[in-house]
Amino acid sequence: MRGADDSERESRLSEPKTADAIDYVAFHDNRLVAELSGEHDAHLMLLEEALGVRIDPRGNRFAVSGPPPARLRAVNVLNALYRQLERGESLGLAEVRAAAKLAEEGGAASPAQAGPSIRTPKRLIGPRTPNQRAYLEALARADLVFGVGPAGTGKTYLAVAHAVGLLLSGAVERIILSRPAVEAGERIGFLPGDVKEKVDPYLRPLYDALHDMMHADYIERRIASADIEIAPLAFMRGRTLARAAVILDEAQNATIAQMKMFLTRLGEGAHMAVTGDPSQSDLPAGEPSGLADALELLEGVEGVAVTRFAAGDVVRHPLVARIIDAYDRRAAMRAGRSRKP
């Protein structure tokens, strides 16, 4: 069960409980029940902490105790995650954490129920937070969508998933993924190799997202036929990108001129997503970010949608959200001191 926690669990099981303080939920497939519980009941422990309940596994049945609203949320999450396993979808700590967060925030019981989802050859991709749901809805609705916020919120991954869905459905003829070739003060000309070898390290996160959704041989064939193109931002100049799903990632590193150039590439039947974190620009000191400028200039323009993510939307390790919060608090404190006379 839970190793070192066994004695504590046995003690808790012996505690007297009233009948109305416990809800029971049972499932028929013992193999899926084991996957639902997780290794050493890790999934159940996560749900207990997140939802404020106690979940006691008893064979293929779970006893859920705690306050009535919390019990209801926990039972709904368990049922939803079990149905996810029945559909053959994977279940890990990230999926359990996302389901608990959505339930706690009053949303759907599981990511698969949370709103629009995208089925790719390797996995079903859906929102894990309310802001991710709003983002996917914006991508489906608007021709130009800005997804801005801290690292780990899924803004690039979901944009790539949406692009893959459009390509596989035939809604677009190609995917074009781009990034400024500027990172942490390093310049592309200083790197060894030909142009492809120079730019590939900057574009690797986009390759990683594609490989998480589609099989490698399929990706290579589509790249060879130019149905999928991954190129630095400078290569976009002078082009008209029609009937394509176009993504500009790390857009905070684009200058104002580059951003204008990129946005005006939008052609007939194209869908464009621009992602980045305005607080993480690697542009030279004093160079304004094209992302921040575009957000100020274009928000509210018809056909443009903006989704802003926060630390609460981080879907990586939970520590990432706490790290972001710590940096934000320090920045706020420094800004407050600088305003004092």
Side-chain angles (χ1 to χ4, degrees):
M1 301 289 271
R2 299 193 188 180
D5 293 337
D6 281 352
S7 59
E8 179 185 351
R9 174 164 290 284
E10 291 299 326
S11 171
R12 291 165 61 191
L13 282 171
S14 67
E15 295 172 5
K17 299 182 283 285
T18 59
D20 62 353
I22 307 176
D23 288 330
Y24 295 94
V25 56
F27 305 105
H28 67 276
D29 190 324
N30 290 332
R31 180 183 61 82
L32 296 184
V33 167
E35 291 186 46
L36 178 61
S37 299
E39 187 174 358
H40 304 301
D41 291 345
H43 297 166
L44 302 184
M45 294 174 68
L46 193 159
L47 290 176
E48 286 181 331
E49 182 178 355
L51 300 176
V53 297
R54 191 174 95 200
I55 305 174
D56 296 316
R58 301 173 181 179
N60 68 335
R61 188 172 71 156
F62 297 97
V64 182
S65 56
R71 294 202 313 270
L72 177 61
R73 285 193 292 269
V75 169
N76 287 341
V77 169
L78 287 169
N79 277 311
L81 293 177
Y82 184 82
R83 288 194 296 271
Q84 183 174 326
L85 288 169
E86 283 187 314
R87 293 192 296 269
E89 298 168 22
S90 61
L91 184 65
L93 288 173
E95 287 76 20
V96 176
R97 187 177 296 113
K101 178 183 288 189
L102 284 167
E104 188 67 16
E105 293 174 352
S110 80
Q113 298 175 320
S117 58
I118 301 162
R119 184 168 293 281
T120 69
K122 294 179 74 172
R123 65 187 72 249
L124 179 70
I125 298 168
R128 295 182 176 181
T129 71
N131 274 339
Q132 287 193 351
R133 178 173 62 240
Y135 185 47
L136 281 176
E137 290 170 349
L139 287 167
R141 181 184 72 250
D143 290 334
L144 172 59
V145 178
F146 289 89
V148 295
T153 52
K155 53 189 183 295
T156 301
Y157 187 84
L158 290 177
V160 173
H162 179 254
V164 168
L166 291 175
L167 180 67
L168 296 178
S169 70
V172 298
E173 297 175 357
R174 53 187 172 150
I175 295 174
I176 300 172
L177 308 175
S178 186
R179 267 186 161 201
V182 177
E183 295 288 343
E186 192 170 23
R187 291 299 178 268
I188 190 171
F190 300 143
L191 298 177
D194 59 21
V195 172
K196 184 178 186 302
E197 291 171 331
K198 287 174 184 287
V199 302
D200 270 1
Y202 296 99
L203 305 173
R204 178 50 51 187
L206 300 175
Y207 284 105
D208 291 343
L210 286 174
H211 281 276
D212 199 46
M213 300 169 198
M214 298 187 291
H215 299 287
D217 56 344
Y218 180 83
I219 295 171
E220 293 307 316
R221 289 199 305 271
R222 300 305 289 258
I223 289 177
S225 63
D227 295 331
I228 297 176
E229 179 182 351
I230 306 177
L233 176 58
F235 288 21
M236 297 296 107
R237 188 172 299 279
R239 303 177 61 184
T240 299
L241 308 176
R243 296 174 296 283
V246 190
I247 299 172
L248 176 61
D249 188 33
E250 297 292 342
Q252 73 275 4
N253 290 331
T255 66
I256 293 175
Q258 287 175 326
M259 180 63 73
K260 179 183 178 183
M261 177 272 293
F262 179 80
L263 296 178
T264 54
R265 301 306 94 198
L266 189 66
E268 182 181 354
H271 301 262
M272 185 174 283
V274 178
T275 67
D277 180 357
S279 69
Q280 295 292 319
S281 174
D282 293 314
L283 291 169
E287 179 79 61
S289 168
L291 176 59
D293 178 73
L295 288 171
E296 180 180 351
L297 184 66
L298 300 178
E299 190 160 15
V301 171
E302 184 178 356
V304 177
V306 179
T307 301
R308 299 182 186 275
F309 296 93
D313 297 301
V314 170
V315 292
R316 292 180 184 169
H317 193 288
L319 181 57
V320 174
R322 296 195 289 272
I323 290 170
I324 292 169
D325 280 336
Y327 276 98
D328 287 346
R329 286 195 301 271
R330 185 177 70 177
M333 290 176 59
R334 288 177 173 175
R337 285 198 297 266
S338 68
R339 286 194 296 266
K340 290 181 180 179

